[in-house]
Amino acid sequence: MSLFQIAIIFFLVTNPIGNTPTILALVKDYDFNRQRWILFREGVFSLLIALFFQYFGEFFLQMLNASSYALTLCGGILLFLVALKMIFPLSEAHTSNKPKQEPFIVPIATPLMSGPGLMTIIMINSKLEANNWKITGAILLAFSGVIAIMLIAPYLQRIIGKRGLLALEQVMGMVLGLIAMEMVVKGVNLFVETL
């Protein structure tokens, strides 16, 4: 895959648009400028977590002695579950609790932005691609979009409203579901080849 294709996958898995309502609920008690600072800071932390996982994910794979087909199948299934959550979002009742203190790394940077799905897909691509700089470039490209959306999130809700955000999340979920199914098929093919 090209750098741009990998970056799009990372962007979709990070799901900044779909996470916007939850993130805004976590920072709604702060003034507008403070919201923007919190969201920028959390976006940077999320990027650092993704880069850390890229360079040390291979080490974890070797420790676990994970096969390519198992990782690909697991990644496809996880991505499909993420896609289902995007297409059929849960009630926002769980986001109504006010934070007692300002969010710091948890829950915005991780697990909302750099969660298990992103870590898995980074591990898969790091294993499949010989060029680490390509994956790093894709992560940086994806997170330039993620951080930009984080910064405009307070404006985004005003412009397109909650229904618009929900529609965008569902469209992105459909695309991610297609990518997930392709990964599952690839994992099955890799498994069949080992027989």
Side-chain angles (χ1 to χ4, degrees):
M1 285 191 291
S2 70
L3 182 144
F4 187 67
Q5 289 173 315
I6 297 170
I8 287 175
I9 292 171
F10 291 164
F11 179 84
L12 288 174
V13 174
T14 306
N15 189 20
I17 295 173
N19 285 325
T20 294
T22 304
I23 291 169
L24 289 175
L26 290 168
V27 298
K28 68 181 180 193
D29 297 327
Y30 303 99
D31 66 67
F32 187 78
N33 290 330
R34 190 65 189 166
Q35 284 182 18
R36 288 181 51 126
W37 164 247
I38 292 169
L39 295 178
F40 173 75
R41 182 192 67 207
E42 297 302 300
V44 170
F45 280 137
S46 181
L47 168 63
L48 294 175
I49 291 167
L51 288 171
F52 175 85
F53 216 81
Q54 181 213 341
Y55 284 100
F56 294 100
E58 187 66 31
F59 172 72
F60 290 123
L61 279 179
Q62 290 172 357
M63 281 181 54
L64 297 172
N65 197 22
S67 60
S68 295
Y69 69 82
L71 184 64
T72 307
L73 277 170
C74 181
I77 292 167
L78 280 174
L79 286 181
F80 187 70
L81 292 173
V82 171
L84 283 178
K85 280 173 38 178
M86 290 167 68
I87 296 169
F88 306 106
L90 297 172
S91 163
E92 290 183 15
H94 66 282
T95 63
S96 61
N97 297 332
K98 292 184 179 180
K100 294 180 181 176
Q101 60 183 12
E102 185 175 293
F104 187 74
I105 300 177
V106 176
I108 296 175
T110 187
L112 282 175
M113 306 306 287
S114 288
L118 181 66
M119 292 176 187
T120 302
I121 199 73
I122 287 173
M123 285 175 63
I124 291 169
N125 282 283
S126 294
K127 190 171 174 72
L128 295 177
E129 288 287 340
N131 187 351
N132 270 339
W133 292 110
K134 185 176 180 182
I135 302 299
T136 302
I139 291 171
L140 292 173
L141 184 60
F143 272 89
S144 64
V146 169
I147 292 173
I149 287 177
M150 296 275 280
L151 289 175
I152 64 168
Y155 300 107
L156 193 62
Q157 189 172 18
R158 290 179 187 172
I159 295 168
I160 64 174
K162 287 186 179 181
R163 286 181 183 251
L165 286 175
L166 181 62
L168 280 175
E169 180 180 10
Q170 290 173 334
V171 169
M172 290 174 70
M174 288 287 292
V175 173
L176 195 59
L178 292 171
I179 293 166
M181 283 298 99
E182 199 155 316
M183 285 178 65
V184 168
V185 170
K186 186 175 182 180
V188 170
N189 287 337
L190 288 171
F191 174 70
V192 169
E193 287 172 10
T194 62
L195 296 177

